[in-house]
């Protein structure tokens, strides 16, 4: 099973690198990815929401979801899986961002983006904006050659589970 996943991971990554890379996307995707660094965009959205009394609870729920994502994804799953990043294994692809130093599985950018966008979709009208942003941030990690597709899928699943748990218990 692992070999099949690895095969498709590599096929998809190399397809993106060979067929989609261009100057315009090389300019755009590092910036899209950067807004997801450390959950920055989602923290900023949560702070803005907390400043408005009508959306304060939603902002707090987003913060709780992001904290759960860091704990479960970055502190638990990444060291447990200890999966090398594609850019560590194949140095022939030119990176457009600095080489990340933590493990690849699951994608923390995707966990925070999916968690925040689901909470925002359920708890407010901001899901219409947040979902496309989450998709772009997640795809940027593939384009930038720092995650495998299965890292992104695991990040989506983890983000869904975290957001549903947070929404259920709060």
């Amino acid at each position: 099973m692992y070999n099949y996943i690895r095969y498709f991971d590599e096929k998809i990554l190399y397809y993106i690198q060979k067929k989609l890379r261009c100057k315009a996307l090389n300019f755009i995707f590092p910036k899209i990815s950067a807004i997801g660094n450390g959950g920055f965009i989602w923290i900023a959205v949560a702070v803005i929401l907390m400043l408005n009394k009508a959306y304060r609870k939603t902002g707090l729920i987003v913060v709780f979801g992001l904290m759960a994502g860091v704990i479960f994804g970055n502190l638990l799953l990444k060291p447990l899986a200890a999966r090398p990043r594609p850019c560590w294994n194949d140095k022939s692809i030119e990176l457009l961002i600095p080489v990340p130093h933590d493990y690849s599985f699951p994608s923390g950018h995707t966990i925070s983006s999916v968690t925040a966008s689901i909470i925002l979709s359920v708890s407010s009208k901001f899901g219409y904006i947040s979902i496309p942003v989450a998709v772009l941030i997640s795809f940027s990690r593939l384009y930038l050659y720092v995650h495998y597709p299965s890292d992104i899928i695991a990040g989506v699943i983890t983000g869904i589970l975290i957001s549903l748990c947070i929404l259920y218990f709060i």
Side-chain angles (χ1 to χ4, degrees):
M1 176 78 162
Y2 175 75
N3 288 335
Y4 291 116
I5 293 170
R6 185 174 175 185
Y7 173 80
F8 285 111
D9 273 348
E10 290 175 359
K11 284 287 188 193
I12 292 166
L13 274 182
Y14 286 124
Y15 178 85
I16 291 168
Q17 298 307 308
K18 290 180 181 178
K19 301 292 185 181
L20 300 181
R21 274 186 87 145
C22 66
K23 287 183 182 182
L25 295 179
N26 287 355
F27 177 78
I28 293 168
F29 277 123
K31 287 156 185 56
I32 290 171
S33 183
I35 65 170
N37 289 349
F40 173 76
I41 185 83
W42 309 115
I43 293 168
V45 168
V47 168
I48 291 167
L49 290 174
M50 287 187 292
L51 294 174
N52 183 328
K53 189 175 182 179
Y55 294 108
R56 189 165 293 142
K57 181 179 179 185
T58 300
L60 286 170
I61 295 170
V62 169
V63 169
F64 288 134
L66 294 173
M67 289 178 1
V70 168
I71 292 166
F72 192 69
N74 289 25
L75 300 178
L76 181 67
L77 290 177
K78 278 188 187 256
L80 196 64
R83 183 181 198 185
R85 290 181 179 270
C87 59
W88 297 356
N89 291 333
D90 180 359
K91 297 184 188 321
S92 70
I93 305 294
E94 177 189 357
L95 286 188
L96 304 172
I97 61 172
V99 177
H101 298 292
D102 61 340
Y103 291 113
S104 185
F105 183 90
S107 167
H109 280 71
T110 303
I111 292 171
S112 63
S113 296
V114 169
T115 299
S117 65
I118 288 175
I119 291 169
L120 291 169
S121 296
V122 171
S123 304
S124 71
K125 59 186 171 193
F126 301 109
Y128 298 111
I129 298 166
S130 65
I131 291 172
V133 172
V135 169
L136 284 171
I137 289 171
S138 298
F139 181 77
S140 76
R141 306 305 285 169
L142 298 173
Y143 187 88
L144 296 173
Y145 200 67
V146 293
H147 277 292
Y148 293 102
S150 56
D151 300 338
I152 304 301
I153 292 167
V156 168
I157 293 167
T158 305
I160 290 169
L161 293 173
I162 288 171
S163 59
L164 292 178
C165 288
I166 293 290
L167 289 166
Y168 180 78
F169 289 111
I170 292 183

